[in-house]
Amino acid sequence: MPVPLDERPHWQRVLWLAAGGLSLVLGLVGLLLPLLPTVPFVLLAAFCFSRGSERCERWIVEHRHFGPMVRDWRANRAVPLRAKWLATVMMSISSVGAWFLLPPPWAWIPAGCCTLVAAWLWSLPTASVRPAAER
């Protein structure tokens, strides 16, 4: 059972907040770099914020773009089908690019990692699509 925020030492809340901020930054960088996934880092940021700052957690849960994925994950442990396809396509493109850019002993590593991530991603339930008015 998680310790309530007001009972956590200040240094723990600061570490959770820093980890959440770093995760969110990595997720934002993932919007630009196809090999770096966005959704897992946003979910990790929400997890960290929930342990470090009620204000930051509320911000990410209510955010126009991040909020729906965080709420769907928390409610159903599900990922939207569009996100699964987009992540798989982007990881495939990145893996092919890495194959041509990296030296031979290392060229297969991104493809192997992306294959594992894609297998995990597709093993998760798919979130149902809801009208925008319900979000």
Side-chain angles (χ1 to χ4, degrees):
M1 179 179 223
V3 177
L5 275 178
D6 54 352
E7 294 179 19
R8 288 186 193 277
H10 179 70
W11 66 270
Q12 281 184 1
R13 291 192 311 270
V14 169
L15 286 178
W16 280 116
L17 189 58
L22 178 62
S23 297
L24 187 58
V25 167
L26 289 172
L28 293 173
V29 170
L31 291 171
L32 304 172
L33 298 176
L35 197 57
L36 195 63
T38 299
V39 174
F41 284 114
V42 171
L43 296 176
L44 180 59
F47 173 80
C48 293
F49 287 158
S50 73
R51 280 149 178 74
S53 168
E54 291 175 3
R55 183 176 60 87
C56 290
E57 179 190 20
R58 186 173 40 259
W59 174 82
I60 201 165
V61 169
E62 294 174 358
H63 191 273
R64 187 173 129 207
H65 298 293
F66 304 136
M69 69 179 86
V70 172
R71 290 189 302 269
D72 280 343
W73 177 255
R74 288 182 174 180
N76 309 314
R77 294 288 191 255
V79 178
L81 184 60
R82 182 176 182 269
K84 288 181 178 185
W85 276 111
L86 184 61
T88 302
V89 168
M90 295 306 283
M91 287 188 292
S92 299
I93 291 169
S94 299
S95 295
V96 169
W99 184 262
F100 289 109
L101 295 173
L102 294 176
W106 304 102
W108 64 272
I109 292 175
C113 292
C114 288
T115 299
L116 292 173
V117 170
W120 170 77
L121 183 64
W122 283 94
S123 73
L124 296 172
T126 300
S128 61
V129 178
R130 296 184 314 264
E134 293 179 18
R135 290 184 191 165

